[in-house]
Amino acid sequence: LTARTFCGLFLYARASASAAASSPLAGAAHAITFQIWMSASLLADALAIACQALLASALSTAAPPALPPAGEGGRRPNASRAQRELYAGKGQGEGALAQVPAGPSPRLVVVRTARLSLALCVLLCSLLSLGRDLMLRSLAPDEALRAAAASVWPFVVFSQPATVAAFVVDGLLFGSRDFGGAALAMVAGAVPGLLLLRAPVILTVGASSAGGGLTGVGAGLV
């Protein structure tokens, strides 16, 4: 997980460095659009945290921990206190476990999360598309900076489905305790982006536009 975190940090830092190397205007525009993208991604992060907790709870309910074999007198000396309390049911016997209300199944959690993710994608894309001018007027002090930020605004809008999907998949992987899969997914996505952003040609993409090369950085980051 440490490697996963550093991969994400290196990718974002490299994108910022590439934008700043293109021109001061492009660097300022990148800072504005990146912060707007990061703010929108916090909603996806909240959804990921929720689905992570729900999936972990559903999986633990579907497959409760097994008790160690009973020893002499029916006692289980190797069982933890939590296991004994779970199965004892306050003295009602092991059958009390069946009386625990069942929560949503893991499959239902995944299906509901997918539906909420789709709704969140539509909401974010709509808000960012309709609120572009208002956001840029609030954050950019001059017309040139607003024009530079507007040149890469489509990347901010149309990257939202991928952003929401990435956060939600992370939450599902964490909820199912597949930490290795989450780390591998981040590394697999970050390494190509880092290599692309290091290519000198990336700064020439869109260099003649208002963003002064920021289009190439946005394409490499996506």
Side-chain angles (χ1 to χ4, degrees), residues 108-160:
L108 182 58
V109 171
V110 174
V111 171
R112 287 179 176 176
T113 300
R115 291 174 180 172
L116 289 174
S117 300
L118 180 60
L120 181 59
C121 287
V122 174
L123 176 63
L124 289 176
C125 290
S126 300
L127 290 177
L128 290 172
S129 298
L130 298 175
R132 186 195 72 173
D133 293 339
L134 177 61
M135 293 180 190
L136 292 182
R137 281 198 301 267
S138 301
L139 298 173
D142 58 81
E143 185 64 30
L145 183 55
R146 288 194 292 270
S151 69
V152 292
W153 197 261
F155 292 105
V156 178
V157 175
F158 295 114
S159 66
Q160 292 306 312

Side-chain angles (χ1 to χ4, degrees), residues 191-203:
V191 170
L194 285 170
L195 294 176
L196 184 58
L197 287 171
R198 287 182 60 87
V201 70
I202 199 67
L203 297 179

Side-chain angles (χ1 to χ4, degrees), residues 80-99:
S80 66
R81 180 179 178 181
Q83 286 176 318
R84 289 196 297 268
E85 290 180 352
L86 176 64
Y87 280 85
K90 297 182 180 180
Q92 298 177 14
E94 296 184 4
L97 183 63
Q99 301 175 11

